[in-house]
Amino acid sequence: MEKIFAELNESQSEAVRQIDGPILILAGAGSGKTKTITSRVAYLIQNGIPPSSILTLTFTNKAAAEMRQRAMALLDQQVTYPPLLCTFHKFGLLFLKHHMQELNRSNNFVIIDTDDKKRILKSFDIDLPVPMVAAEISRFKNNLISPEEAISAAQMLNYKKIAQIFQKYEAYLEQNNLVDFDDLLALPYQILDQNPQLCEEISRKYQYILVDEYQDTNDLQFKLLEKLSSTHNNLCVVGDDDQSIYGWRGANIKNILEFDKRFADTKVIKLTKNYRSTEAILKAANELIEHNRNRLGKKLESTRDSGKEIEFIHFDDENSEAREIAARVKTLINRGIDPKEIAILYRINALSRSIEEGLNRAGVPYKMVGGLKFYERAEVKDIIAYLRVITNPHDDFSLKRIINKPKRGIGKATIDKLLDMAYQNSCSVYNIFTDHREKLAESVTKKAFTTITEFFGKITDIREKLESSSYDLIDNLEEAFGIRHYYEQMPDGMDRVLNIDEFYGLYRDFVIQNQDATLEAFLNDITLQSDQDQIDERSISIMSIHASKGLEFNYLFVIGLEEGFFPLVGDGCDIEEERRLGYVAITRAKKELTLSSSATRYYKGKRAQLSKSRFLAECGVSKGSLKIERTTSFKKGTLVKHKIFGVGRVLEVSKVKREYKLKINFGGTQRDILASFVERI
DNA sequence: TAGAAGCAGATTTTT
DNA sequence: TCTGCTTCTA
């Protein structure tokens, strides 16, 4: 017990000790949130609460893994059954594995990811943008609207269309026994809702529920939590309304803002002592976020020294910005700073390009966090599709992906024919092959028919062999289909082959570690897994602000502070959420923070003129607490273009107050012009 | 059926 | 400006 409280401050201890009833822990950035949750789990167990009745929900596998490890470290004696600590989606998966039959569906389903979902929608040949339809379907599901309800509620033609696509999509999923990410939450809710007895049973099973990053929950997650805690209200949520940055994805900030209204007698505990950043950094963060109206209100208190002033640098264009930032990063590394402690953040991924160029030119190794995830890579998804077809030959969706990969002469026409026949007979393509073989032989070319027969022969063969325990699936998969070989031959196939090998390794590890788990279990598991790339020891990190959530760095650069870019403006943009994003960015910094902006930026094929972000003033730049600097990449000899005077060459560069003045020769005429009025060419 | 050439669209993305 | 997808042709 002492071990648990030894390192906690007063409010943290209070949050840990409060066992019963609804609790809202408002944990500011860097206030020891994870420590508080894990201590609480350990404390509950040490107070005799059976681990099996504690449920902790997170959003990422990474957070779940970290918490599990830290909670266990706090427990004196080894716990035989550790408490369930997992993501919302994993919880949904476990639940569906046990209760799917309530919906008259088999628990032998396959989970599809967002990309799969879009492919399915695309295959419907719809005349609306697929991402939009995908998002709308997600919205329907998260609002628990059935396709029928959506259709009857639709007013506008396009909405009717979307609702009809939704209906078709749902039928497709059910027919192929697929479950999408939204279903992992929506279906459990549906089951609990239509089965009060089961709901009560489950609620009694999980007497103590903890939720991490509560500000990111959506309406459905809230309703699910309501169900789960319905018999006891022992719901402890931890979050920070100021760090809610996923509103655009359906997260509802009201969940946290109105938590105490939804749950009577909520105990609210604020964790405001920040153990991460210097006073200068916290001051900027606090000042910025105070411009938001929609918030519970709390102010981070510093526990560290005042630290170095925040620096702000303004540039003429993104190239000088990239060059200067790269140079500064290099200086830090030369000073002996660990590259792991350096990061560059931006609001939109498009800004990464200039920065990458700058880093490359300066010879600074970097790692881009986020990017394309391992399990989302085409080659990995191909292998997964093969494995899915092997576990379930009726999975037309996966089949379609691989039936002609590597190319074996089954072209689009043949595939369309197969799918059409399956659709006509309301069965799977595999059924067409097994039960309507003669008809199939008539419908496709002789060559295609032979190839299809051969293809399914190999699949069936592997399926049968899978039964025997001493069987190496991977070797046989490769022998039968040569996927690795196929990628090996591609000109840029090296990375892909490495990924395939990595994947095979993961599978073999899984088989060794889970002797009696099925291939299907493996497949379900990896769909819920996000990339957990190790940050390379010798590289600095560059990433979007969203991707930086939960991380911290001693030396931080935030680039692109310009109106229009950050805050981003346009459809679905919410200035308060943009500001929270700014707050998240600033609070990632521990020791030194550098902000930058550029007067112009090349974007979508055009050079945009930009003004400085309002956030700069809001976090104190106008009050002079930040050091303002301006650098330029113009020098003698640079070719430039002026809107009126045309093309010219720079003769001289001089500084006037905070601006740069250029003497330019336009076809024999010399003019003095401010740097921001010309463009490099 | 498979490569080549033309054309729209281009935020953030824990699962 | 660049990417990924549809359309065109051998």
Side-chain angles (χ1 to χ4, degrees):
Chain A
M1 202 70 80
E2 280 160 30
K3 197 166 152 192
I4 294 177
F5 291 102
E7 290 181 16
L8 298 179
N9 68 30
E10 210 174 303
S11 1
Q12 289 169 338
S13 299
E14 193 190 356
V16 169
R17 281 207 175 86
Q18 181 77 32
I19 292 185
D20 294 304
I23 307 156
L24 168 60
I25 303 173
L26 282 172
S31 66
K33 177 196 69 168
T34 309
K35 191 196 269 180
T36 307
I37 302 184
T38 52
S39 300
R40 203 179 131 83
V41 171
Y43 183 75
L44 291 174
I45 293 173
Q46 294 203 342
N47 271 271
I49 290 159
S52 61
S53 62
I54 304 170
L55 171 65
T56 309
L57 296 171
T58 65
F59 279 84
T60 65
N61 290 301
K62 197 175 155 201
E66 191 191 341
M67 282 187 189
R68 197 174 299 125
Q69 189 246 320
R70 284 174 67 172
M72 288 302 110
L74 280 172
L75 290 166
D76 292 330
Q77 76 276 26
Q78 275 289 324
V79 179
T80 350
Y81 294 104
L84 183 53
L85 199 165
C86 63
T87 63
F88 271 95
H89 295 262
K90 176 83 183 206
F91 178 77
L93 168 65
L94 295 171
F95 181 89
L96 289 181
K97 281 288 159 191
H98 284 101
H99 305 289
M100 196 64 157
Q101 72 277 7
E102 301 283 340
L103 297 170
N104 294 319
R105 281 183 65 174
S106 149
N107 70 352
N108 183 31
F109 52 81
V110 167
I111 304 165
I112 58 167
D113 66 18
T114 319
D115 179 64
D116 298 332
K117 177 182 179 180
K118 288 183 182 159
R119 275 165 196 273
I120 292 171
L121 292 172
K122 229 182 85 194
S123 76
F124 293 167
D125 227 355
I126 56 183
D127 59 355
L128 290 167
V130 167
M132 184 269 263
V133 176
E136 286 302 315
I137 289 179
S138 210
R139 233 197 57 218
F140 285 136
K141 291 200 184 194
N142 282 295
N143 287 309
L144 300 161
I145 298 168
S146 71
E148 294 69 32
E149 286 166 336
I151 289 171
S152 62
Q155 296 285 320
M156 290 190 319
L157 178 66
N158 273 356
Y159 270 94
K160 200 131 218 144
K161 270 191 196 163
I162 293 169
Q164 279 157 351
I165 297 166
F166 176 35
Q167 188 171 42
K168 195 170 165 190
Y169 172 75
E170 290 294 271
Y172 183 96
L173 293 194
E174 225 178 301
Q175 201 179 4
N176 292 280
N177 208 11
L178 304 174
V179 158
D180 69 15
F181 284 148
D182 298 321
D183 287 335
L184 288 174
L185 303 173
L187 299 182
Y189 179 83
Q190 214 174 305
I191 292 170
L192 290 173
D193 192 48
Q194 68 190 33
N195 197 334
Q197 209 183 326
L198 177 66
C199 181
E200 195 182 321
E201 193 185 303
I202 297 286
S203 174
R204 288 198 192 286
K205 178 172 160 61
Y206 298 109
Q207 282 291 321
Y208 294 90
I209 300 173
L210 293 95
V211 184
D212 182 31
E213 303 280 14
Y214 183 70
Q215 75 282 354
D216 292 334
T217 50
N218 64 21
D219 292 345
L220 182 53
Q221 283 157 335
F222 175 81
K223 290 178 99 164
L224 203 53
L225 289 172
E226 255 182 346
K227 290 275 181 217
L228 292 174
S229 59
S230 57
T231 62
H232 47 69
N233 269 1
N234 293 329
L235 179 59
C236 170
V237 302
V238 187
D240 182 0
D241 52 321
D242 293 332
Q243 291 188 67
S244 163
I245 56 173
Y246 284 103
W248 53 276
R249 247 176 67 150
N252 189 347
I253 193 169
K254 280 192 180 153
N255 287 164
I256 192 162
L257 294 180
E258 293 171 6
F259 183 82
D260 56 346
K261 291 191 189 79
R262 303 295 287 266
F263 289 91
D265 304 317
T266 292
K267 171 109 187 149
V268 180
I269 297 165
K270 289 186 187 183
L271 306 182
T272 52
K273 274 216 171 65
N274 176 291
Y275 297 94
R276 180 185 292 156
S277 315
T278 63
E279 216 177 303
I281 292 165
L282 289 184
K283 188 166 167 274
N286 281 330
E287 283 188 26
L288 175 66
I289 203 67
E290 266 164 26
H291 288 81
N292 271 3
R293 306 201 55 123
N294 230 316
R295 63 190 290 255
L296 292 164
K298 68 181 165 353
K299 199 166 182 170
L300 292 177
E301 300 152 33
S302 173
T303 61
R304 297 185 51 177
D305 55 14
S306 56
K308 205 177 155 212
E309 261 185 17
I310 292 171
E311 215 169 323
F312 168 62
I313 329 169
H314 186 65
F315 299 92
D316 288 320
D317 57 47
E318 72 276 18
N319 298 319
S320 37
E321 179 185 52
R323 191 172 322 166
E324 177 65 18
I325 303 260
R328 286 178 185 231
V329 167
K330 204 166 178 178
T331 309
L332 287 173
I333 295 173
N334 290 342
R335 258 171 55 196
I337 307 290
D338 187 347
K340 276 205 309 271
E341 283 303 331
I342 306 171
I344 302 170
L345 307 184
Y346 34 79
R347 168 71 243 260
I348 58 171
N349 282 133
L351 296 202
S352 77
R353 201 159 64 219
S354 58
I355 269 304
E356 285 186 84
E357 264 176 43
L359 292 170
N360 282 331
R361 231 171 280 166
V364 177
Y366 65 88
K367 164 128 189 134
M368 204 167 140
V369 179
L372 193 57
K373 310 258 192 317
F374 181 70
Y375 291 107
E376 286 167 9
R377 303 192 123 88
E379 61 277 15
V380 175
K381 290 203 76 170
D382 288 344
I383 308 278
I384 294 174
Y386 266 102
L387 296 180
R388 280 181 178 176
V389 171
I390 287 163
T391 55
N392 174 17
H394 301 287
D395 181 351
D396 282 354
F397 174 69
S398 302
L399 179 77
K400 195 177 158 197
R401 185 181 179 104
I402 48 131
I403 194 163
N404 196 33
K405 196 182 279 179
K407 294 204 164 60
R408 50 175 72 90
I410 302 176
K412 194 174 176 298
T414 309
I415 295 172
D416 283 350
K417 188 77 217 169
L418 281 168
L419 291 171
D420 186 54
M421 285 178 76
Y423 182 73
Q424 297 298 331
N425 290 281
S426 355
C427 66
S428 67
V429 170
Y430 185 63
N431 281 137
I432 295 293
F433 174 72
T434 52
D435 305 345
H436 304 269
R437 201 174 296 209
E438 300 77 23
K439 221 169 134 195
L440 177 64
E442 288 164 21
S443 311
V444 299
T445 63
K446 203 171 169 188
K447 185 171 159 277
F449 184 73
T450 318
T451 317
I452 293 167
T453 310
E454 200 183 315
F455 176 82
F456 278 121
K458 286 178 180 172
I459 294 285
T460 320
D461 193 43
I462 293 179
R463 273 173 67 76
E464 280 164 4
K465 284 192 193 152
L466 203 55
E467 308 287 321
S468 80
S469 56
S470 61
Y471 165 74
D472 188 4
L473 173 66
I474 300 303
D475 281 349
N476 283 271
L477 184 71
E478 275 305 322
E479 196 184 316
F481 299 108
I483 312 144
R484 188 181 184 281
H485 181 67
Y486 164 71
Y487 279 110
E488 212 168 31
Q489 285 178 324
M490 292 182 23
D492 55 344
M494 204 45 220
D495 282 345
R496 292 171 185 273
V497 171
L498 288 176
N499 287 330
I500 290 173
D501 288 343
E502 169 77 14
F503 182 82
Y504 286 160
L506 286 171
Y507 175 70
R508 290 195 166 113
D509 284 351
F510 177 84
V511 173
I512 292 164
Q513 276 164 29
N514 308 275
Q515 293 289 343
D516 36 46
T518 58
L519 175 57
E520 193 212 327
F522 171 73
L523 291 173
N524 278 337
D525 231 55
I526 57 175
T527 313
L528 292 183
Q529 211 105 82
S530 69
D531 213 13
Q532 280 164 32
D533 269 2
Q534 285 293 310
I535 290 180
D536 188 342
E537 299 285 309
R538 292 163 53 203
S539 304
I540 70 151
S541 306
I542 69 170
M543 68 192 95
S544 71
I545 298 170
H546 283 90
S548 75
K549 196 167 158 205
L551 304 176
E552 52 178 34
F553 301 91
N554 274 329
Y555 300 87
L556 188 79
F557 297 85
V558 184
I559 64 165
L561 277 121
E562 297 118 25
E563 281 297 307
F565 277 105
F566 191 20
L568 199 59
V569 289
D571 255 14
C573 282
D574 168 0
I575 186 64
E576 295 219 343
E577 183 152 318
E578 294 294 314
R579 205 173 272 116
R580 292 193 290 270
L581 214 34
Y583 177 81
V584 168
I586 293 173
T587 53
R588 299 307 99 197
K590 288 158 85 174
K591 275 189 178 162
E592 290 183 16
L593 174 63
T594 308
L595 308 174
S596 77
S597 66
S598 175
T600 74
R601 209 175 271 284
Y602 211 70
Y603 183 61
K604 288 191 192 178
K606 283 198 191 87
R607 181 155 292 278
Q609 298 288 324
L610 303 156
S611 56
K612 288 176 201 150
S613 170
R614 72 189 82 173
F615 292 166
L616 288 165
E618 288 179 0
C619 74
V621 71
S622 62
K623 292 175 200 156
S625 68
L626 307 177
K627 187 173 142 196
I628 302 166
E629 225 177 83
R630 185 186 178 96
T631 62
T632 184
S633 64
F634 292 109
K635 50 178 183 271
K636 197 177 165 188
T638 309
L639 269 180
V640 295
K641 196 170 123 192
H642 187 274
K643 275 211 176 98
I644 297 159
F645 306 123
V647 177
R649 195 179 284 280
V650 176
L651 300 172
E652 209 180 289
V653 182
S654 55
K655 207 166 180 179
V656 184
K657 288 183 187 168
R658 284 173 188 165
E659 286 281 346
Y660 280 91
K661 194 176 75 185
L662 309 174
K663 194 180 280 292
I664 303 171
N665 176 11
F666 291 102
T669 321
Q670 285 185 18
R671 290 175 197 279
D672 286 334
I673 291 189
L674 282 179
S676 48
F677 290 112
V678 293
E679 258 179 50
R680 297 167 65 90
I681 47 171

